[in-house]
Amino acid sequence: MTAIGIDLGTTNSAVAVHDKQTGGARVLRNGEGQVLTPSVVGVHTTGATGVQTFAVGTPAVNWAFREARDTIFSVKRLMGRDFLDDAVVETNRHMSYDIVPGPGQDPRAHVMLAGQMYSPVQVSTMILEKLAEDAAAHLPEPPTHAVITVPAYFNEAQRVATREAGEKAGLVVKRIIDEPTAAAVAFGVDLREGDKRRVLVFDLGGGTFDISILNATRDAAGRNHLQVLDFSGDNWLGGDDFDLLIVKRIIDWVKETADLDPSHDAKFLYKAKYEAEKAKRQLSQTQVVDIIIPAAYRADGVIVDIDLQLTRAEYEVMIAGLVDTTIGLVRAALDRQKLVPDDISDVLLAGGSTLTPKVYESVEALFGRDKVRRNVDPMECVALGAGILAGTQHGIECGDPACATVNDEKVTECVACHRPLFDARAVGDTNLYEVTGQALGIAAVYGMNGDSFVSIIPRGTPYPVTQPLKRTFEATNGRKIVVPVYEGDDPVASRNQEIGRLDYDLPHEIAARAKVDVEFLYDRNRTLFISVIVPGTDLRHYATLRHDAPREGTEQVTVLTPGEDDEADQMRQLLLHVVEAAERFQLRYQPYVDPSQSVKIQKDLEGARRVLSFPDPDECRTMINALRSHLFESGLASQLYLAESTADRATQEDARKIYSLVAIIRGEFQEGRHKVAEDKARLLRGLITQMSQQTEVPEIRDAADFGGLLKILDS
């Protein structure tokens, strides 16, 4: 077995291998002689023959100026993301390649490469294959196992996607580890016996930002112990965002000097992004940089040569808001642990973006310069930590104390006693104690609300979870049980990240108020095992949640159960339902609602809440009609609402057309081109009209029951 550590980065990736003599690790050079491999995949099409050749890393970068639309970079930002995610929509407007919805009803973001659709997992697999192949040249035998790092704030779907990419690349994934934790492992090489340190890792990479707070100790046997106390961050904040601010500056320069808008030209966008990244690096060393791009843009017979100057002072003003966001997240993480900066003994800087003076000076201002450690290269420390773990973790130990057999990471049950290894712990020279960054739970019914989030595994829970964590509910339907699973901390389920759903058809009817136990187990790989049990019966349903399974992109709808059979009670419940639907509509589509219309919606919502206090059937009916009219008569917002509802039930091809057109309309509107957005919306209306003959558009309606959702027990 040969194991490597892989830092699969947004901008660059690196491979490291454990050095047994020093106890540390060393970064391996790739086929081009570099320690960093650009996380870029491209296709070069030979004009004469039409033969397509894939390239990864530097070769892909070298071809990108000619093949900009067929060059994929920053794909890590799309891992586990839905196509209509606001951040994806925003990114799609700036990328030189096309981001599209997945096949069928799969709402996840995919990319187009040489006319073919690829998932972020497939693109990441190509990068991992390149990394493993290049590493083999420096090792006695090709690598078979790997520890792969991910941002600490990656959600479960993103972690599963990363593991899948590693497995598709032919590697046994020993562990998926958080990037800040890997950086702390690299730092831990210098720990001495008896050391007790409280460490904060500030990890600002190309596409993500993470903070981890850890206790680091070293015992008499020479083993390091790293206990994660908390982590936080933003998996859509990084050096790429710094680059895009410079790109915007370049675009504005072209608009001002040539009266042309190059923002939709793929080749220009790639050139601008390339030069922006280079300028960013130079401004870490100098006070001023010249951005020169000959023949950057051609339009209407005009060739635009870019020649502009950017000072460090100007650049720091541009990025100040992003840097302030990182410091605010650090303070929030400290507050959650009831810590102050003086409680931190060491601050580790990880990620290439921490080389930006504005960034590291802000960290030093908060903690003090003497605490900020620079003894490990921030560009390499994550890979080095992964390499140490890859070489010093020797398998996983059976959770049965009477057995305790050490197994290879690729097996799912103990080779000796055949016990499932869901609660197995890694065996090695470094002991890691990690915690969940967000709560895991389900959507359930509370009162009249079917969109309440119930935490089963709370935020900050150490894992693996060796004993099931359980909550008891009531069944609302005797024929089926529906368990939507979410990750997040918001009390409203639909505001969290849905990571799966269990639909359980009961073999025979049970009582509507029967008790139902839901149990969660969480293993070392953050795989979630769910059990749904009806005590006193033989009804038991077990499932391993597939975070990577295609999900239907449907809106969450709060459903109601009529109480007494009097008209006032029924109308009150229906009004509650419509109020909640209108609130969700306003939250999701607020930017597209005319301000005067928004005032009317808010006024009617306030009126509806007053009516709910003393429900009169006629007044309830009046407010129901008023709120429903807003949903379908709010211009562009209503058109987007109806379009996305139609797409949920459309054919694969029709859904793709709708999603693509919706993304264009959103982008044009956000850019201030409202007239263009309205023109595109007319096309969208025609498309919906055509499809509505074949597809039922969902409307707000009263529901007879809770659709199988479980109900929270009355306290």
Side-chain angles (χ1 to χ4, degrees):
M1 179 191 79
T2 301
I4 56 177
I6 299 176
D7 173 11
L8 183 62
T10 304
T11 306
N12 294 290
S13 297
V15 177
V17 64
H18 179 234
D19 188 328
K20 294 182 180 179
Q21 293 183 341
T22 66
R26 57 189 172 90
V27 176
L28 303 178
R29 295 188 178 273
N30 60 22
E32 293 73 46
Q34 304 162 333
V35 294
L36 297 178
T37 297
S39 303
V40 180
V41 174
V43 171
H44 171 56
T45 304
T46 304
T49 62
V51 175
Q52 294 180 337
T53 305
F54 281 91
V56 180
T58 300
V61 173
N62 292 339
W63 278 110
F65 290 108
R66 296 185 182 181
E67 309 281 357
R69 190 166 291 280
D70 286 328
T71 302
I72 310 299
F73 55 92
S74 299
V75 75
K76 180 176 175 179
R77 285 191 147 191
L78 304 178
M79 295 282 271
R81 291 275 187 174
D82 285 355
F83 175 70
L84 287 178
D85 185 309
D86 287 340
V88 174
V89 171
E90 175 66 19
T91 297
N92 205 2
R93 293 165 45 229
H94 300 291
M95 288 300 185
S96 53
Y97 56 87
D98 292 327
I99 303 173
V100 298
Q105 297 299 317
D106 184 355
R108 292 173 298 179
H110 287 57
V111 298
M112 295 302 296
L113 187 59
Q116 298 293 319
M117 181 188 299
Y118 291 86
S119 70
V121 167
Q122 291 172 307
V123 176
S124 297
T125 298
M126 299 179 201
I127 297 171
L128 289 169
E129 288 173 341
K130 154 85 170 167
L131 296 172
E133 181 180 339
D134 287 353
H138 303 277
L139 300 171
E141 57 185 18
T144 56
H145 293 57
V147 170
I148 303 177
T149 65
V150 296
Y153 223 55
F154 253 25
N155 62 34
E156 299 311 300
Q158 292 168 309
R159 292 170 185 273
V160 168
T162 303
R163 174 174 290 277
E164 182 186 355
E167 292 170 349
K168 287 181 179 294
L171 297 167
V172 174
V173 180
K174 291 168 68 75
R175 191 161 191 160
I176 297 291
I177 184 174
D178 296 339
E179 290 165 3
T181 305
V185 170
F187 167 78
V189 171
D190 294 331
L191 288 175
R192 298 180 180 180
E193 182 182 337
D195 272 355
K196 294 182 179 180
R197 319 288 290 182
R198 182 171 288 142
V199 181
L200 184 141
V201 183
F202 184 100
D203 184 359
L204 185 61
T208 57
F209 171 61
D210 290 316
I211 313 125
S212 284
I213 303 173
L214 310 93
N215 284 335
T217 60
R218 188 176 182 89
D219 63 24
R223 291 189 300 267
N224 289 341
H225 299 263
L226 296 176
Q227 179 186 10
V228 178
L229 302 178
D230 196 1
F231 63 83
S232 184
D234 185 336
N235 59 13
W236 209 276
L237 172 60
D240 272 4
D241 299 288
F242 294 7
D243 298 344
L244 291 176
L245 290 172
I246 300 177
V247 170
K248 185 178 185 303
R249 175 69 175 272
I250 296 171
I251 291 172
D252 290 343
W253 185 91
V254 175
K255 290 179 179 179
E256 293 169 3
T257 59
D259 196 26
L260 294 170
D261 183 0
S263 60
H264 297 289
D265 183 88
K267 288 187 177 180
F268 169 84
L269 288 174
Y270 186 83
K271 290 178 181 178
K273 176 71 165 60
Y274 180 86
E275 293 297 330
E277 185 179 349
K278 187 165 68 173
K280 175 187 67 178
R281 292 196 302 268
Q282 291 174 344
L283 286 171
S284 295
Q285 306 296 326
T286 64
Q287 294 296 323
V288 63
V289 64
D290 293 314
I291 300 176
I292 300 173
I293 315 177
Y297 183 59
R298 301 168 184 261
D300 302 326
V302 178
I303 299 177
V304 180
D305 298 317
I306 292 174
D307 185 354
L308 69 90
Q309 194 174 77
L310 182 64
T311 67
R312 181 187 289 184
E314 292 171 324
Y315 173 60
E316 290 185 344
V317 170
M318 293 163 58
I319 67 173
L322 297 176
V323 177
D324 288 347
T325 297
T326 66
I327 298 301
L329 289 169
V330 169
R331 291 186 181 278
L334 291 172
D335 289 345
R336 277 195 301 274
Q337 290 298 312
K338 296 181 172 56
L339 299 173
V340 296
D342 287 346
D343 294 322
I344 302 298
S345 63
D346 303 87
V347 179
L348 311 183
L349 298 182
S353 297
T354 61
L355 297 172
T356 301
K358 175 73 172 176
V359 173
Y360 66 72
E361 288 169 1
S362 297
V363 177
E364 289 174 347
L366 179 62
F367 291 99
R369 177 178 293 186
D370 60 321
K371 291 185 179 181
V372 179
R373 302 291 173 238
R374 299 184 178 278
N375 57 321
V376 181
D377 187 336
M379 297 285 285
E380 299 180 3
C381 62
V382 171
L384 291 171
I388 292 170
L389 285 176
T392 60
Q393 290 201 340
H394 312 302
I396 51 176
E397 184 179 76
C398 177
D400 184 351
C403 177
T405 298
V406 177
N407 297 265
D408 188 271
E409 289 87 355
K410 66 183 178 182
V411 302
T412 58
E413 64 176 35
C414 179
V415 295
C417 68
H418 304 292
R419 184 179 186 272
L421 294 173
F422 60 82
D423 59 348
R425 289 191 176 276
V427 178
D429 300 336
T430 299
N431 292 323
L432 297 179
Y433 308 94
E434 297 178 286
V435 298
T436 56
Q438 298 183 81
L440 290 161
I442 71 170
V445 178
Y446 180 71
M448 296 300 175
N449 183 0
D451 196 17
S452 294
F453 178 65
V454 181
S455 169
I456 296 179
I457 298 181
R459 175 192 175 99
T461 300
Y463 65 88
V465 175
T466 56
Q467 295 295 325
L469 297 180
K470 180 177 74 173
R471 291 290 296 265
T472 301
F473 302 86
E474 284 183 355
T476 62
N477 187 311
R479 299 178 303 281
K480 63 180 178 180
I481 293 173
V482 176
V483 184
V485 183
Y486 287 86
E487 178 184 23
D489 298 305
D490 197 294
V492 178
S494 58
R495 294 177 188 164
N496 295 318
Q497 177 73 31
E498 184 176 358
I499 57 175
R501 173 184 292 260
L502 278 73
D503 291 336
Y504 182 18
D505 291 325
L506 301 176
H508 55 81
E509 292 191 2
I510 62 172
R513 296 178 63 86
K515 298 296 184 288
V516 177
D517 292 336
V518 178
E519 297 180 346
F520 279 13
L521 272 175
Y522 206 42
D523 75 359
R524 71 188 188 285
N525 295 319
R526 297 174 60 132
T527 301
L528 186 62
F529 300 86
I530 303 174
S531 302
V532 179
I533 303 168
V534 180
T537 75
D538 59 355
L539 298 178
R540 286 169 169 75
H541 186 57
Y542 305 99
T544 301
L545 189 63
R546 287 189 57 202
H547 308 295
D548 57 330
R551 306 181 306 280
E552 293 184 2
T554 55
E555 287 288 319
Q556 287 294 317
V557 178
T558 302
V559 291
L560 303 172
T561 301
E564 301 298 326
D565 292 331
D566 62 275
E567 184 181 12
D569 187 64
Q570 292 181 9
M571 294 308 299
R572 182 182 185 278
Q573 292 180 40
L574 181 54
L575 178 56
L576 272 171
H577 173 41
V578 176
V579 164
E580 291 170 353
E583 288 174 340
R584 288 195 305 275
F585 173 83
Q586 190 179 35
L587 180 67
R588 182 172 176 82
Y589 300 102
Q590 176 69 35
Y592 311 101
V593 179
D594 182 86
S596 61
Q597 179 73 4
S598 183
V599 171
K600 293 179 182 177
I601 296 175
Q602 188 59 40
K603 183 178 179 181
D604 283 341
L605 279 170
E606 292 171 359
R609 295 186 188 104
R610 287 195 297 270
V611 169
L612 287 170
S613 301
F614 303 97
D616 174 83
D618 291 335
E619 291 183 358
C620 285
R621 192 174 291 108
T622 298
M623 297 312 305
I624 288 168
N625 292 335
L627 291 175
R628 278 179 166 172
S629 69
H630 293 313
L631 295 181
F632 297 99
E633 297 175 9
S634 293
L636 184 60
S638 295
Q639 293 171 45
L640 294 176
Y641 166 74
L642 290 172
E644 293 178 8
S645 298
T646 302
D648 293 339
R649 304 189 180 195
T651 64
Q652 174 181 343
E653 185 60 30
D654 286 346
R656 190 185 312 283
K657 291 177 183 177
I658 292 175
Y659 284 137
S660 298
L661 196 49
V662 165
I664 292 172
I665 292 170
R666 285 187 172 195
E668 297 290 355
F669 189 89
Q670 291 168 6
E671 280 289 327
R673 293 186 285 271
H674 295 182
K675 180 65 168 61
V676 177
E678 290 171 2
D679 291 342
K680 299 291 185 184
R682 280 194 286 273
L683 295 176
L684 184 62
R685 282 199 300 272
L687 196 60
I688 293 172
T689 299
Q690 178 183 352
M691 294 177 185
S692 64
Q693 299 173 359
Q694 305 170 354
T695 306
E696 179 186 353
V697 179
E699 296 182 359
I700 298 174
R701 62 185 187 278
D702 194 15
D705 57 37
F706 291 102
L709 288 175
L710 298 175
K711 187 174 183 179
I712 301 172
L713 289 172
D714 295 331
S715 56

